[in-house]
Amino acid sequence: MELDLGLTTRSRVRLVRQTEVAECGLASLTMIANYHGLDIDLGTMRRRYSPSLRGAPLRALINLADQIGLTPRAVKLPLEELGNLHMPAVLHWDMNHYVVLEAVKGGKALIHNPDGRSRWMPLPEVSEHFTGVALELRPSSDFDRKSLRERLNLSQLWQSMTGLKRSLAQILLLSLVLQAFVLASPYYMQVAIDSALPALDNDLLTVLALGFGLFTVINVMASLLRSFVLLNAGTSIGFSLASNIARRLFRLPVEWFEKRHTGDVLSRFQSITPIQSLLTQGAVAALVDGVMALLTLAVMFYYSPMLAFIAIVAFGLYALVRAISFSFQREAQEASIITKGKEQSTLIETVRGMVTLRLFGREALRHALWQTRLTDAVNSNVRLARIGIWQSTANMLIFGIENIITIWLAVGFVIDGAGFSVGMVFAYIAYKGQFISKSAALIDQAIAFKMLGLHLERLSDIALSPEDRSFQPGTDAVTELKGKIEMRNIFYRYSSSDPMVLQGVSLTIEQGEHVAITGPSGGGKSTLLKVMLGLVEPESGEVLIDGIPLHRFGYKSFHSQTAAVLQEDSLFAGSLADNIALFDDEIDMERVISAATAASIHDDIIQMPMQYETLIGDMGSTLSGGQKQRVILARALYRQPKILFMDEGTAHLDARHERKVNEAISAMGITRVIIAHRKETIEAADRTLVMMGGAMAEWHGEGA
């Protein structure tokens, strides 16, 4: 028996598509929470209950469900008993995924896949994916039906834009001038037919032609000015909008980028385009179309209330069709955007990994994977296009029948002598055509504004995600760095459902000390370095710089006086000098050469055709592994840091180059923290620490 909590539930589950790499479980919980009456979106869920990069085990889902007020019950059952589950329920899928089961009927199951789409699947096909584990979720007594959505409002985007109101006012004024011509044109036809033609009055016809000809010139000039204003306003607003969103994007924490595909981030950024279009053209068009529809409708009622009523009925039917099809259109539009992002991500990854694919002979398999992603994108576009076809077909049918009825009645009025002239028929048909086109355009604009919620929802993942801690107010002051680092009882894990990666790590590194950290792979060394750098925040514990907590010392201040060479570092398209100075406005070539010499890459560079102006390929593809690593090291030394962090920073160097690099850096007398496995690198350090299983210990011998 189900517990009746007086909640308003949805009649069906609405698909929520995952954004991050491993948040299918969170998306599934969001679907079921929405179904039971908790209005929350995936972005809000993610910000409140951050998922793990490595996925969520069933235990983590149970804990999350309990936090939002759902009573979980994990069950193991055969496929034949799937229909006995309390639905909607979460199914464990393909050993590494979660989906939502809404219903089982006629040998088929309605599956909502966060990584795909909703569809009825035959049970034999379900059997190929279902692992036999399911999670039932019921509202508990403290389940709170409310709205927790954090929405990005359109007003938040245009608040910082200058000149928007002025541009919109200009566009509106010019649009009204254009519409005045449209409103007057049918009357020209009526006067010409009803007055000039029966009287064979050439003078009247000439005067009418000259008057409306002048009106046409004014109309053309207004159209030209409006086009230029739209161009300038669209360019300015588009630039401001893109710049503001990009600024926010570049200030997000490192973990935000690690959890998302590149293609998905790009597709979210591209949601700026429809917003820009609606801000510059859609808003004005909607207002003008609304005014024109009302004016032409008033004129139509003046000609014939009966004929005007028929047009209103047709307009109402068209509006009903668009309203009914909106949810399908929105879902298809969302699927199209997401599948296109996945296809782009696969293509980008394939291009970047072409050397690996070539060596392993996996081009055909990768092509097949990309084709699968492309097929999904094409199918999504086809579904969207089908909805558009049905809408246009309904449009043609409704207004086609309306046009036939209108002409039949209007001509009948003329024949019956009911006060309708031939010129009035032509004028009314023209006005009616304007009403239909403007009212239909108004509906289209209303749907476009409604659809804007989809794009704002996608942009909200960028705009509403909290900025990195280093950009918080009051973190810009520069504190002189000496070089001492202290970590006190540091605990860290990727999410609340993951085991601890760092377990109570405490260490002190004195000013000018050279410390090597070694240990087996996966022991937490790179994570420790990121915590030390302030790139990630520990769950508990404290990092002190020169005896001052890092957040008080200032992340920007700390980063400006330190340098790091990490495993995932890359070069950028440009010259070698640009990369070493990291595109400084005014490059100090003496420092560039000095840093390159210390990194033992200077001799290699001067042998190149253009020396320091030599251009490198994408991500340094024209350099060898050792050369690339030495250029990255030179980039770090160019900053003249007080502390240098290195994560396998000399792993690609031969013994001679590594010795020269160590001697040059040692002569600087700066604090060095390195992660290494090579014996020579470890022996060069003043002290060696071992990380194993998230714990730190002193190294007392070989073989660690």
Side-chain angles (χ1 to χ4, degrees):
M1 179 180 294
E2 294 185 27
L3 182 64
D4 183 9
L5 300 175
L7 301 174
T8 302
T9 61
R10 293 178 179 268
S11 58
R12 57 183 294 270
V13 173
R14 186 176 69 84
L15 177 66
V16 174
R17 291 181 174 84
Q18 67 189 83
T19 297
E20 297 182 357
V21 179
E23 63 176 8
C24 54
L26 200 65
S28 298
L29 281 182
T30 305
M31 286 187 241
I32 295 178
N34 284 336
Y35 176 84
H36 289 300
L38 177 62
D39 185 25
I40 189 169
D41 61 294
L42 183 58
T44 305
M45 284 282 285
R46 187 189 307 114
R47 288 184 283 274
R48 287 171 175 257
Y49 316 105
S50 180
S52 169
L53 256 177
R54 305 179 180 185
L58 193 62
R59 182 184 68 257
L61 280 192
I62 291 173
N63 291 335
L64 285 177
D66 183 65
Q67 290 180 53
I68 62 178
L70 294 173
T71 302
R73 175 174 173 262
V75 294
K76 193 167 185 178
L77 73 164
L79 182 70
E80 297 76 25
E81 297 181 13
L82 209 57
N84 296 329
L85 283 173
H86 175 81
M87 291 179 268
V90 178
L91 302 184
H92 192 226
W93 203 254
D94 289 333
M95 303 303 295
N96 62 357
H97 191 56
Y98 294 105
V99 299
V100 172
L101 170 69
E102 181 177 357
V104 178
K105 290 180 184 177
K108 292 184 177 181
L110 179 54
I111 301 293
H112 301 278
N113 191 339
D115 194 33
R117 61 190 182 91
S118 302
R119 67 187 184 101
W120 286 94
M121 296 178 63
L123 289 179
E125 186 180 350
V126 173
S127 179
E128 297 174 6
H129 304 276
F130 179 47
T131 63
V133 176
L135 183 65
E136 294 182 331
L137 296 163
R138 292 178 170 85
S140 63
S141 57
D142 59 350
F143 183 77
D144 193 2
R145 179 186 171 273
K146 58 183 177 180
S147 178
L148 295 176
R149 287 180 181 269
E150 297 174 2
R151 292 181 173 89
L152 175 65
N153 297 319
L154 199 57
S155 59
Q156 294 174 256
L157 297 178
W158 70 46
Q159 280 176 352
S160 57
M161 296 182 193
T162 57
L164 176 61
K165 292 181 180 179
R166 184 183 60 197
S167 297
L168 291 179
Q170 292 173 347
I171 296 169
L172 177 60
L173 179 62
L174 292 168
S175 297
L176 290 175
V177 172
L178 293 176
Q179 297 308 317
F181 175 78
V182 172
L183 199 60
S185 293
Y187 186 69
Y188 168 59
M189 184 183 299
Q190 179 184 341
V191 174
I193 292 174
D194 286 347
S195 300
L197 183 60
L200 302 177
D201 190 344
N202 284 319
D203 293 337
L204 176 59
L205 191 60
T206 301
V207 170
L208 289 171
L210 289 174
F212 278 94
L214 180 61
F215 201 1
T216 301
V217 172
I218 296 172
N219 182 69
V220 169
M221 294 302 297
S223 177
L224 180 65
L225 288 173
R226 180 176 179 269
S227 297
F228 278 115
V229 172
L230 277 173
L231 176 63
N232 292 334
T235 303
S236 176
I237 291 170
F239 179 82
S240 298
L241 189 57
S243 179
N244 291 340
I245 295 296
R247 181 177 183 272
R248 182 74 178 197
L249 177 67
F250 297 163
R251 294 160 71 96
L252 293 178
V254 173
E255 301 102 308
W256 190 93
F257 297 94
E258 292 175 343
K259 293 178 179 180
R260 287 158 179 80
H261 293 293
T262 305
D264 181 69
V265 175
L266 293 177
S267 73
R268 288 179 182 279
F269 200 78
Q270 288 163 1
S271 287
I272 292 171
T273 302
I275 294 174
Q276 170 201 345
S277 176
L278 281 171
L279 280 177
T280 52
Q281 300 183 47
V284 173
L287 182 59
V288 171
D289 289 338
V291 171
M292 286 303 298
L294 290 174
L295 288 176
T296 51
L297 183 61
V299 174
M300 288 163 60
F301 266 102
Y302 173 76
Y303 277 84
S304 172
M306 180 185 294
L307 296 179
F309 179 74
I310 293 172
I312 291 175
V313 171
F315 166 70
L317 290 174
Y318 178 67
L320 182 63
V321 168
R322 294 304 304 269
I324 292 173
S325 62
F326 172 75
S327 61
F328 301 102
Q329 183 181 355
R330 188 187 191 282
E331 186 175 327
Q333 182 76 55
E334 183 181 19
S336 176
I337 294 172
I338 292 176
T339 52
K340 182 63 178 177
K342 290 181 179 179
E343 180 266 327
Q344 288 291 301
S345 290
T346 303
L347 186 61
I348 292 169
E349 290 174 356
T350 301
V351 171
R352 292 214 181 280
M354 188 53 67
V355 173
T356 303
L357 296 173
R358 183 60 42 78
L359 291 175
F360 282 82
R362 291 294 188 271
E363 298 92 344
L365 289 176
R366 194 68 186 182
H367 180 252
L369 175 61
W370 174 79
Q371 274 191 318
T372 301
R373 297 280 188 264
L374 180 63
T375 301
D376 291 340
V378 170
N379 287 339
S380 296
N381 289 334
V382 168
R383 285 193 292 272
L384 184 60
R386 282 175 180 165
I387 294 171
I389 290 171
W390 281 110
Q391 289 174 344
S392 62
T393 301
N395 186 352
M396 292 173 60
L397 178 63
I398 292 169
F399 292 120
I401 294 174
E402 179 272 338
N403 194 50
I404 292 171
I405 295 173
T406 298
I407 293 175
W408 174 60
L409 289 174
V411 175
F413 292 159
V414 176
I415 294 173
D416 295 338
F420 233 64
S421 66
V422 175
M424 291 177 67
V425 172
F426 278 101
Y428 178 83
I429 295 298
Y431 282 123
K432 190 264 299 181
Q434 288 298 322
F435 169 74
I436 294 300
S437 64
K438 297 303 180 184
S439 58
L442 183 62
I443 291 294
D444 293 341
Q445 289 295 337
I447 294 295
F449 273 107
K450 188 78 173 173
M451 196 67 71
L452 205 60
L454 170 61
H455 298 290
L456 289 172
E457 195 174 289
R458 292 184 60 74
L459 275 181
S460 67
D461 191 39
I462 298 174
L464 298 182
S465 292
E467 291 183 343
D468 188 78
R469 293 170 299 155
S470 61
F471 293 100
Q472 292 175 357
T475 59
D476 296 332
V478 177
T479 306
E480 185 66 27
L481 176 65
K482 297 176 181 177
K484 180 179 178 180
I485 306 171
E486 186 178 355
M487 303 185 78
R488 295 179 180 173
N489 204 29
I490 297 293
F491 285 85
Y492 177 82
R493 55 182 170 182
Y494 297 114
S495 76
S496 58
S497 61
D498 282 328
M500 289 291 178
V501 179
L502 302 178
Q503 303 186 49
V505 174
S506 297
L507 65 91
T508 301
I509 300 172
E510 299 295 339
Q511 177 183 346
E513 191 176 10
H514 180 189
V515 174
I517 301 174
T518 189
S521 298
K525 301 185 298 297
S526 297
T527 302
L528 177 70
L529 206 62
K530 287 184 177 180
V531 172
M532 207 178 294
L533 282 163
L535 293 177
V536 297
E537 187 174 6
E539 186 166 294
S540 62
E542 195 172 32
V543 178
L544 294 93
I545 306 299
D546 294 337
I548 304 172
L550 180 53
H551 67 275
R552 282 176 45 204
F553 187 93
Y555 297 100
K556 288 290 184 186
S557 175
F558 181 61
H559 292 158
S560 68
Q561 301 174 77
T562 61
V565 179
L566 305 179
Q567 292 183 26
E568 60 269 27
D569 277 348
S570 61
L571 299 176
F572 302 92
S575 68
L576 286 167
D578 288 334
N579 273 276
I580 292 174
L582 202 56
F583 300 90
D584 264 356
D585 292 334
E586 295 182 6
I587 297 178
D588 186 338
M589 284 306 300
E590 290 186 6
R591 280 174 60 188
V592 168
I593 294 171
S594 175
T597 302
S600 194
I601 189 65
H602 174 72
D603 293 341
D604 293 38
I605 293 175
I606 61 173
Q607 293 176 12
M608 296 178 184
M610 296 179 65
Q611 299 186 357
Y612 281 92
E613 295 305 316
T614 300
L615 298 176
I616 62 175
D618 184 42
M619 298 181 71
S621 57
T622 59
L623 303 176
S624 69
Q627 287 175 327
K628 177 181 174 182
Q629 194 163 55
R630 281 179 282 156
V631 171
I632 292 173
L633 178 58
R635 182 173 70 192
L637 297 178
Y638 176 84
R639 295 171 62 86
Q640 298 178 340
K642 305 289 182 62
I643 304 176
L644 177 63
F645 300 90
M646 297 175 66
D647 189 353
E648 297 289 351
T650 57
H652 295 294
L653 305 189
D654 57 80
R656 181 177 67 87
H657 278 114
E658 183 174 12
R659 185 173 61 255
K660 291 175 66 177
V661 167
N662 285 334
E663 290 173 356
I665 298 176
S666 180
M668 297 178 183
I670 62 176
T671 305
R672 281 180 286 166
V673 181
I674 65 170
I675 292 175
H677 291 99
R678 290 168 60 170
K679 180 180 178 182
E680 298 83 354
T681 308
I682 295 171
E683 289 178 345
D686 300 332
R687 182 161 56 105
T688 302
L689 303 172
V690 179
M691 279 289 296
M692 188 176 297
M696 177 74 72
E698 291 280 348
W699 188 63
H700 298 293
E702 299 182 0

